[in-house]
Amino acid sequence: MSALGLAAMGSYTVGGRAVTVEGRAKRTVALSAGLGLDYDPNGQFWIEQAYVQYFVPSTQRVEWPLVLIHGGGLTGSAWETTPDGRPGWLHDFLVAGFAVHVVDNVERGRAGFCALEGEWDGMPIVRSEQESWALYRIGDASDYVRRIPYAGQRFPYTCLGELTRRTVPRWPATIDAQRRALLALIERLGPCIVLGHSQGGGFAIELAATRPDLVRAAVALEPHGNFSSIGSVALHNRPLLLVSGDYFAQSALWRDLDAKAQGALLAWGRAGGIPHTLRLNNQGLPGHSHMMMMDEGSERIAALIVEWLSDVTAGQPRG
Amino acid sequence: MSALGLAAMGSYTVGGRAVTVEGRAKRTVALSAGLGLDYDPNGQFWIEQAYVQYFVPSTQRVEWPLVLIHGGGLTGSAWETTPDGRPGWLHDFLVAGFAVHVVDNVERGRAGFCALEGEWDGMPIVRSEQESWALYRIGDASDYVRRIPYAGQRFPYTCLGELTRRTVPRWPATIDAQRRALLALIERLGPCIVLGHSQGGGFAIELAATRPDLVRAAVALEPHGNFSSIGSVALHNRPLLLVSGDYFAQSALWRDLDAKAQGALLAWGRAGGIPHTLRLNNQGLPGHSHMMMMDEGSERIAALIVEWLSDVTAGQPRG
C-alpha cells in the first residue's frame, strides 16, 4: 500500500438509548477459569448506538469528512483489506486526502448488539456463503458448488471464505434504529459526504434526501431501501451518484432493485438535486460484482468516485 | 495526538471453523424497505474466527509485532480513544514504533458472533454500568447512583457512558474458542509480543506459557484465567510483566484474583521464565482502576511498558 501520514485517528460512539433492566434473577457465570461471578442482569445498559472509527490524513485535500456506511450483514471491515489482501477503499480515500469515518452501524461489529430480553423483535439471521455467492452476483447459485463464477468476474471469488468470516448476524427489526444512529452521526459531524453500499447506500440516500443542510454529496453503491423521503425537502443542487456493477442481466432481483434506484434518482432530480449515474460497464470496467469495493480493480472505482467528488464539491460554498 | 506515519494498515481474520447447516425451513425476511428476501438459513457458515486490525508505523523501532488482546465484554476499541476523548494505547504504541495488531476476539465486535442454533451453549450476557463501576474498581457499588468514585480515582468516570456504549455481549461458553483463535493468530504472526487486559491478560499468559517459541515477551494487565499451563514448557528466560492498579484494598474479588496472578508469576519463574511486576502505586502512579488503559495518565503507563519491552527484548536474538 501507499505510505500514509495521519494527523489523527480514533473512535467514538454515537446515538442509541439507555435501558434500565429491573427485577430479573441473579445467577453465577464463569467469565474465565479464574473468575466466576455473581452475574446481575439488572441495571443500566446502552443499546442501539453506532461505533465510528476515524482517520484524518496529514494532507487533507477535501474539507468535509467522508462517512463510509457498510452494507447489511457486514461491518466497517468491508472497507479495509480486500478478501485477497489488497488495500481497500478506506486506504484509497485516505491517500486521496479525505478524512474518513468508518461506521459499524447499530448491532454490527464494534457497535455491539442488544442482548437484553424483550428489546428487539425476533432472532438475528446470518448470510450463508451460498447466499453471498448469488446475492452478490459472483455467479449463478447452481455454480456455487463448483465455484464457477460469471465470465469476467472481478470479485476475488477464490477468497470468498474471507468475506464469509467477515459476515456478521443482523436483526431485520433494527432498520429504524440504524437510521437514527446515522442521523445522530451526521448531526455530530456537521457538513459531510456520505458513501454507502447496498443497505448502507439506501441509508446514504435517505440521509442526503432529508438533511441536505449536512450532506454535501452522496454516493450510493447499488442501494436498496426506503426512497420515499426524497422530495420532502428541497435539495438545492446537492449531487447524488449512483454506482452499479455488472451481471444485472443474470439477476431479476437486482434488475428490480436497480429500477427502484433509478426511480430514486429521477425523484432526486425532481426535488432539485443533481443526479449522476456511474455504470461501471459503460466506463470500460465490466465484470464488477455487488461487492465492488472488494473486487480486483476496486482502486479504479475509488478513483472515479474521488474524481466525481472533487468535481461536485469544488463549486460548493465552504463551511 | 501525535502525527503518525504508517507504512501499512489493514485487517484480516484468523482461526474459526466452517459449519454446514441443513434441513431448516426457509422464510421471508425484510432486509430493508426495498428488499424482502427469501431467507435460507441453510448453507455454509464460518464461526469462531477472530478479527484483527493492524497498523505498521513508518518508523518501526521494535522488530516483533505487538498483539493487543482486550478484556471480556469489550472489543479492540478498548485500545482506541479513551472514554474522555484522549488517544489510547493503540496510538501510544504506534508512536513508540511498534507494529500493532488489535484483536476482536471470537464473538466480540467485528469478529461476529455465532447466530446458528445449537452451536453455542446458553445465552450471551452483558455487563451493566453498575457492574462496570464496581468490577473496574471505579468506586464502591453503593456510590454508583451518586457517581462518587474512590478518592484519587483516575478513571474518567464522568464519561463512563462511553465505556458502557463500547461494552458488548459475551458468551461464557466460548473461552476455548477464543483461546484457539489467539493461538492461530500468533502462529500466523510468528515471533511477537502479546499484551492482554483482564480476560485477555489471562490469554496472554497462556499463550506465552505454551508457545515461548513465538511469544518473546508478555504483558498482562490484571489478568484472570487458567494459569495451569505454566510449567508445561520450559520458558528459556522469556519475560512476563504483571501490571496492576490501585484500590485492591476495596475489593475482596480483586485481592483474590491478584493473589492468583502472583501465584502465576511465581510459577513463571520456576518454569525458567523471568517474572516482573509493575504495581503502579509503587511507581508514584496511584489512583488507577482496572481500566488503566483508559485512565487519566494512561500514556504514562504505556511509557513504562514501552520502556520495559525495550529492555527485555533488546537482549534477545532476532528472528
Side-chain angles (χ1 to χ4, degrees), chain A residues 64-87:
Chain A
W64 300 306
L66 171 66
V67 178
L68 298 183
I69 311 171
H70 59 75
L74 296 171
T75 74
S77 83
W79 310 105
E80 298 172 343
T81 306
T82 66
D84 54 336
R86 292 171 293 110

Short mmCIF file of all heavy atoms in Angstrom, two decimals, chain A residues 64-87:
data_model
loop_
_atom_site.label_atom_id
_atom_site.label_comp_id
_atom_site.label_asym_id
_atom_site.label_seq_id
_atom_site.Cartn_x
_atom_site.Cartn_y
_atom_site.Cartn_z
N TRP A 64 -14.75 18.30 3.75
CA TRP A 64 -15.78 17.59 4.51
C TRP A 64 -15.39 16.15 4.76
O TRP A 64 -14.86 15.47 3.88
CB TRP A 64 -17.10 17.66 3.75
CG TRP A 64 -17.55 19.07 3.55
CD1 TRP A 64 -17.72 20.01 4.52
CD2 TRP A 64 -17.85 19.72 2.31
NE1 TRP A 64 -18.13 21.20 3.97
CE2 TRP A 64 -18.22 21.05 2.61
CE3 TRP A 64 -17.88 19.30 0.99
CZ2 TRP A 64 -18.59 21.97 1.63
CZ3 TRP A 64 -18.25 20.21 0.00
CH2 TRP A 64 -18.59 21.53 0.34
N PRO A 65 -15.65 15.65 5.95
CA PRO A 65 -15.36 14.24 6.24
C PRO A 65 -16.22 13.33 5.38
O PRO A 65 -17.37 13.66 5.05
CB PRO A 65 -15.69 14.09 7.73
CG PRO A 65 -16.56 15.24 8.06
CD PRO A 65 -16.21 16.35 7.13
N LEU A 66 -15.67 12.18 5.05
CA LEU A 66 -16.35 11.17 4.25
C LEU A 66 -16.80 10.06 5.19
O LEU A 66 -15.98 9.45 5.88
CB LEU A 66 -15.39 10.62 3.20
CG LEU A 66 -15.86 9.40 2.41
CD1 LEU A 66 -17.06 9.73 1.53
CD2 LEU A 66 -14.70 8.85 1.55
N VAL A 67 -18.10 9.78 5.22
CA VAL A 67 -18.67 8.72 6.06
C VAL A 67 -18.89 7.48 5.20
O VAL A 67 -19.60 7.54 4.19
CB VAL A 67 -20.01 9.17 6.68
CG1 VAL A 67 -20.61 8.05 7.51
CG2 VAL A 67 -19.82 10.43 7.51
N LEU A 68 -18.30 6.36 5.59
CA LEU A 68 -18.48 5.11 4.86
C LEU A 68 -19.47 4.22 5.62
O LEU A 68 -19.25 3.89 6.78
CB LEU A 68 -17.14 4.36 4.71
CG LEU A 68 -16.05 5.08 3.91
CD1 LEU A 68 -14.81 4.17 3.78
CD2 LEU A 68 -16.55 5.47 2.52
N ILE A 69 -20.56 3.84 4.94
CA ILE A 69 -21.62 3.05 5.57
C ILE A 69 -21.69 1.68 4.89
O ILE A 69 -22.05 1.57 3.72
CB ILE A 69 -22.99 3.76 5.46
CG1 ILE A 69 -22.88 5.22 5.90
CG2 ILE A 69 -24.05 3.01 6.27
CD1 ILE A 69 -24.14 6.04 5.61
N HIS A 70 -21.34 0.65 5.65
CA HIS A 70 -21.29 -0.71 5.12
C HIS A 70 -22.68 -1.23 4.75
O HIS A 70 -23.70 -0.69 5.19
CB HIS A 70 -20.66 -1.64 6.15
CG HIS A 70 -21.41 -1.65 7.45
ND1 HIS A 70 -22.61 -2.28 7.62
CD2 HIS A 70 -21.14 -1.06 8.63
CE1 HIS A 70 -23.04 -2.09 8.85
NE2 HIS A 70 -22.16 -1.33 9.49
N GLY A 71 -22.71 -2.32 4.01
CA GLY A 71 -23.95 -2.99 3.66
C GLY A 71 -24.44 -3.91 4.77
O GLY A 71 -23.76 -4.12 5.77
N GLY A 72 -25.63 -4.46 4.58
CA GLY A 72 -26.23 -5.35 5.58
C GLY A 72 -25.41 -6.61 5.78
O GLY A 72 -24.86 -7.16 4.82
N GLY A 73 -25.34 -7.06 7.02
CA GLY A 73 -24.60 -8.29 7.31
C GLY A 73 -23.10 -8.10 7.32
O GLY A 73 -22.35 -9.07 7.44
N LEU A 74 -22.67 -6.85 7.17
CA LEU A 74 -21.23 -6.57 7.21
C LEU A 74 -20.96 -5.51 8.26
O LEU A 74 -21.89 -5.01 8.90
CB LEU A 74 -20.77 -6.08 5.83
CG LEU A 74 -20.90 -7.13 4.71
CD1 LEU A 74 -20.63 -6.50 3.36
CD2 LEU A 74 -19.97 -8.31 4.95
N THR A 75 -19.68 -5.18 8.43
CA THR A 75 -19.27 -4.13 9.36
C THR A 75 -18.34 -3.19 8.61
O THR A 75 -18.09 -3.36 7.41
CB THR A 75 -18.50 -4.72 10.56
OG1 THR A 75 -17.18 -5.11 10.13
CG2 THR A 75 -19.20 -5.93 11.15
N GLY A 76 -17.77 -2.24 9.33
CA GLY A 76 -16.81 -1.33 8.73
C GLY A 76 -15.60 -2.03 8.13
O GLY A 76 -14.88 -1.44 7.32
N SER A 77 -15.38 -3.28 8.50
CA SER A 77 -14.23 -4.01 7.95
C SER A 77 -14.37 -4.21 6.44
O SER A 77 -13.40 -4.55 5.76
CB SER A 77 -14.04 -5.35 8.66
OG SER A 77 -14.87 -6.34 8.14
N ALA A 78 -15.58 -4.02 5.90
CA ALA A 78 -15.80 -4.15 4.45
C ALA A 78 -14.94 -3.18 3.65
O ALA A 78 -14.67 -3.42 2.48
CB ALA A 78 -17.27 -3.93 4.12
N TRP A 79 -14.51 -2.09 4.28
CA TRP A 79 -13.74 -1.06 3.58
C TRP A 79 -12.24 -1.23 3.78
O TRP A 79 -11.45 -0.41 3.31
CB TRP A 79 -14.16 0.33 4.07
CG TRP A 79 -15.63 0.55 4.07
CD1 TRP A 79 -16.45 0.57 5.16
CD2 TRP A 79 -16.48 0.77 2.93
NE1 TRP A 79 -17.76 0.78 4.78
CE2 TRP A 79 -17.80 0.92 3.42
CE3 TRP A 79 -16.25 0.86 1.55
CZ2 TRP A 79 -18.89 1.14 2.57
CZ3 TRP A 79 -17.34 1.08 0.71
CH2 TRP A 79 -18.63 1.22 1.23
N GLU A 80 -11.85 -2.23 4.54
CA GLU A 80 -10.43 -2.42 4.84
C GLU A 80 -9.82 -3.35 3.79
O GLU A 80 -10.22 -3.32 2.63
CB GLU A 80 -10.30 -2.94 6.28
CG GLU A 80 -10.85 -1.93 7.29
CD GLU A 80 -10.92 -2.48 8.71
OE1 GLU A 80 -10.84 -3.70 8.89
OE2 GLU A 80 -11.07 -1.66 9.64
N THR A 81 -8.84 -4.14 4.20
CA THR A 81 -8.20 -5.08 3.29
C THR A 81 -9.25 -5.90 2.53
O THR A 81 -10.21 -6.39 3.12
CB THR A 81 -7.30 -6.00 4.13
OG1 THR A 81 -6.43 -5.18 4.91
CG2 THR A 81 -6.47 -6.90 3.24
N THR A 82 -9.06 -6.08 1.23
CA THR A 82 -10.00 -6.88 0.42
C THR A 82 -9.80 -8.37 0.75
O THR A 82 -8.79 -8.75 1.34
CB THR A 82 -9.75 -6.64 -1.07
OG1 THR A 82 -8.45 -7.16 -1.41
CG2 THR A 82 -9.83 -5.16 -1.42
N PRO A 83 -10.75 -9.22 0.36
CA PRO A 83 -10.62 -10.65 0.70
C PRO A 83 -9.31 -11.27 0.21
O PRO A 83 -8.80 -12.20 0.82
CB PRO A 83 -11.84 -11.28 0.01
CG PRO A 83 -12.86 -10.19 -0.01
CD PRO A 83 -12.07 -8.93 -0.25
N ASP A 84 -8.77 -10.75 -0.89
CA ASP A 84 -7.50 -11.28 -1.40
C ASP A 84 -6.30 -10.46 -0.96
O ASP A 84 -5.21 -10.59 -1.52
CB ASP A 84 -7.55 -11.40 -2.93
CG ASP A 84 -7.94 -10.08 -3.59
OD1 ASP A 84 -8.59 -9.24 -2.93
OD2 ASP A 84 -7.59 -9.88 -4.76
N GLY A 85 -6.49 -9.59 0.05
CA GLY A 85 -5.34 -8.99 0.72
C GLY A 85 -4.84 -7.68 0.15
O GLY A 85 -3.74 -7.24 0.52
N ARG A 86 -5.62 -7.02 -0.71
CA ARG A 86 -5.19 -5.70 -1.21
C ARG A 86 -5.75 -4.58 -0.33
O ARG A 86 -6.74 -4.78 0.37
CB ARG A 86 -5.70 -5.53 -2.65
CG ARG A 86 -5.04 -6.46 -3.67
CD ARG A 86 -5.74 -6.40 -5.03
NE ARG A 86 -7.08 -6.97 -4.94
CZ ARG A 86 -8.21 -6.28 -5.02
NH1 ARG A 86 -8.19 -4.97 -5.23
NH2 ARG A 86 -9.38 -6.89 -4.91
N PRO A 87 -5.16 -3.39 -0.39
CA PRO A 87 -5.72 -2.27 0.37
C PRO A 87 -7.12 -1.93 -0.12
O PRO A 87 -7.38 -1.92 -1.32
CB PRO A 87 -4.75 -1.12 0.08
CG PRO A 87 -3.48 -1.78 -0.37
CD PRO A 87 -3.91 -3.02 -1.10
#
